[in-house]
Amino acid sequence: ASVALPFALLHDLFDALPIDSCKRVFRFVEGEIESWRSPPLFDWGKNSLLLACNELLRRLSKSLNPVFCGRIRTFLSNLFPLGERSGLNLTGNFNVDNVTAFDEEPLAGEGGGGGGENGGEGGAGDFVFYRQFWTLQRYFRNPRLCYEAERWHAFQTYVDDLLSALASRRVDAEGSGGGSGGSGGGGNDAGDAAAVPAGNDYFAKYLTSQRLLTLQLEDLTFRRQVLTQLLVLLHYLTTPSKFRGATEVLDDAALEWVAAAQRRVYEALEGGGSGEGK
C-alpha cells in the first residue's frame, strides 16, 4: 500500500465527517502518535498531516469546541520537534487581539481605596489593586508596551505590588482552580469529557469579577498561571531579538530590576505560588 494512503484517508475523513465523528477519528490519531513519528510516515506525510489538522481546526469554533481545538494543537506540538518552522513565531508578532476585559469602575457600594506598596491583605481586595492586577494582561499580550517610559514605570509598580500581595496571602493547595476561569469543556465539547484527564484545569479565559480576585489570589493554579505569564514576559525583556526596534532597549537599572523580579517569581513558584521559597 502507498505511504500516502493513511494521510489521504485522514484528510477526506476530517473534511467529510461531522464534528462528533471527527472527534472519534482524532482519538485514534492521538493514540497512534508514535506511529506517525516513525521515519517512513513522518518524513513523507508530516506536511499532509499538518494540513489535515489545520483544516479541521478551521472547521471548529474556538468558543464551542475549545477542548477539541486544544487537543489538536497539543497533538501537533507533541508530534513535531520544537524547532519545526511551521510552529515558530518567526516574525516576532504578538497576539494583541487577545484582550482580557475587566471592570473599569468599582462596584456600587464598594470603596476604591489605595492599594499600598505591599498589596497586602487589605490592598489585595481594593479596586486600585484590582485594576493594576488585570492591567498586567495588557503587557503580557503586547510586551512592547514595556519600552514606553511611562508604562514601564507603571509596570514595575504593578509587578512589585503583585509579588508582595502573593507573598502576604495564604495558598489554598486543595483548591480546584475554579476561581481562575470558566471551564472550556462545555457546549459542543461535552462529549470530550472522557478524553480530558481527571484533575486537569481547562479555562478558555480568566474570570475578572472584582468579587473573585481575593479568592483567585489564594488559588494555587491561578497563582502559577499568572506567575508563568509574568516569567515569560521578563524572559522576553532580557533575550536578544532581531525583531526589536532601535528604541526597544532597557537601561542598566531596568535590567537589574528585571533580574530581581525574575528571582522573586522563581522563589514564588518554588514556594507553591506564594512569595516564600523552599
Side-chain angles (χ1 to χ4, degrees), residues 180-204:
S180 56
S183 172
N188 286 5
D189 270 342
D192 280 339
V196 178
N200 285 10
D201 297 301
Y202 287 83
F203 304 118

Side-chain angles (χ1 to χ4, degrees), residues 22-139:
C22 287
K23 290 178 183 180
R24 291 194 290 270
V25 174
F26 191 75
R27 194 165 293 128
F28 163 78
V29 174
E30 288 175 308
E32 296 296 327
I33 188 169
E34 293 303 325
S35 299
W36 302 121
R37 283 177 178 156
S38 62
L41 285 176
F42 186 76
D43 294 342
W44 193 96
K46 61 180 181 179
N47 291 332
S48 298
L49 187 56
L50 177 63
L51 178 62
C53 289
N54 283 336
E55 289 189 355
L56 178 57
L57 280 170
R58 278 191 281 271
R59 290 184 59 195
L60 300 176
S61 165
K62 291 182 180 179
S63 58
L64 296 178
N65 310 105
V67 175
F68 193 21
C69 290
R71 286 171 55 198
I72 296 171
R73 295 185 185 281
T74 300
F75 168 77
L76 292 174
S77 65
N78 290 331
L79 178 66
F80 289 92
L82 290 176
E84 171 64 29
R85 289 179 62 85
S86 64
L88 298 179
N89 182 12
L90 296 174
T91 56
N93 294 325
F94 300 107
N95 183 15
V96 295
D97 294 328
N98 183 22
V99 177
T100 299
F102 57 90
D103 298 334
E104 297 293 340
E105 299 293 337
L107 296 175
E110 297 189 14
E117 292 197 356
N118 37 1
E121 194 74 26
D126 67 31
F127 183 70
V128 172
F129 180 81
Y130 166 84
R131 286 203 61 185
Q132 290 181 351
F133 181 87
W134 290 115
T135 299
L136 281 172
Q137 294 294 322
R138 296 174 180 171
Y139 293 88

